[in-house]
Amino acid sequence: MTEYKKVFEELKSEAGDRNVSLVAVSKFHPYEAVMEAYDEGARIFGENRVQEMREKFPPKGERPEGMKVYLIGQLQRNKVKKAIEWADRIESVDSLPLIDKIEAECCSLSVSIDILLEFNSSGEEQKSGFRTEEELLAAAAYLAGCPHINLLGIMTIGPLGGDDGANRKAFARTKALYDRLQEACPSVSVLSMGMSADWETALEYGSDEVRIGTAIFGERIY
Ligand SMILES: *Cc1c(COP(=O)(O)O)cnc(C)c1O
């Protein structure tokens, strides 16, 4: 048993008539836990390492009906091919060289991939993600020249151990950036923010995808 159903019900009641997706972040938890959550209704899973994703999940096309896996952790350029082969979406695209590499690998594999651009909304040095609004918007414009990459929106991680004020500041900044992105690229539709500790706040700022690990699967043992 996982807490998936409980989290799903809480999310549904907070979201009201908005459509908010729930990514069950299964990093550090075994495939048995993934399948428990799947049986409880979970379909989208999040992993932050390419190798763990590939060892844990069956390849695309061999998974249980409807199961999807999103890569949400920092991606090194030398793992892009392995990531594209397994992930249904990459939510952590954070540089132009990475974009170039993804486009090149998709081109040689003759596939396309859905991505989110990651925004470092808290300004923390150790975090990945584009550091300024202008850099992220420039990357979005650059993607117009990458026919194998489908830009869906923005992902951000709230401040580490953020208090409520810090969370609100980061989420408000990301929402304002998302609105600018949507003006430039009307087809974007995903604003991914909110984790176990801060998803309710993120919803107030317009999040339409939350990524929840601990509240569903329990503490991770590193
Ligand atoms: C681990 C992780 C999460 C889930 O965090 P919890 O606090 O366990 O809910 C969400 N997003 C990203 C990018 C993560 O790495």
Side-chain angles (χ1 to χ4, degrees), residues 25 27 48 72-73 118 155-157 194-197 211-215 218 220 222:
V25 177
K27 65 189 187 202
N48 67 347
I72 60 174
E118 182 176 353
M155 185 272 270
T156 199
I157 302 175
M195 319 198 332
S196 293
R211 309 174 310 272
I212 298 185
T214 311
R220 290 178 285 274
Y222 291 101

Side-chain angles (χ1 to χ4, degrees), residues 21-37:
S21 343
L22 173 54
V23 177
V25 177
S26 50
K27 65 189 187 202
F28 288 91
H29 295 283
Y31 193 64
E32 293 75 68
V34 167
M35 282 311 298
E36 280 173 23

Side-chain angles (χ1 to χ4, degrees), residues 153-219:
I154 295 179
M155 185 272 270
T156 199
I157 302 175
L160 278 176
D163 57 49
D164 192 54
N167 284 341
R168 286 178 187 277
K169 204 171 138 199
F171 293 150
R173 199 181 155 199
T174 309
K175 168 67 165 127
L177 173 59
Y178 180 70
D179 290 343
R180 286 176 69 187
L181 177 67
Q182 221 171 18
E183 244 168 69
C185 315
S187 63
V188 301
S189 59
V190 181
L191 174 57
S192 177
M193 54 187 193
M195 319 198 332
S196 293
D198 57 17
W199 66 267
E200 283 144 308
T201 311
L203 282 197
E204 288 180 43
Y205 291 87
S207 172
D208 40 44
E209 178 188 280
V210 295
R211 309 174 310 272
I212 298 185
T214 311
I216 294 174
F217 295 105
E219 293 293 333

Side-chain angles (χ1 to χ4, degrees), residues 7-19:
V7 171
F8 179 81
E9 290 305 328
E10 283 171 7
L11 178 62
K12 225 172 72 179
S13 92
E14 288 284 328
D17 48 18
R18 287 159 53 201
N19 193 6

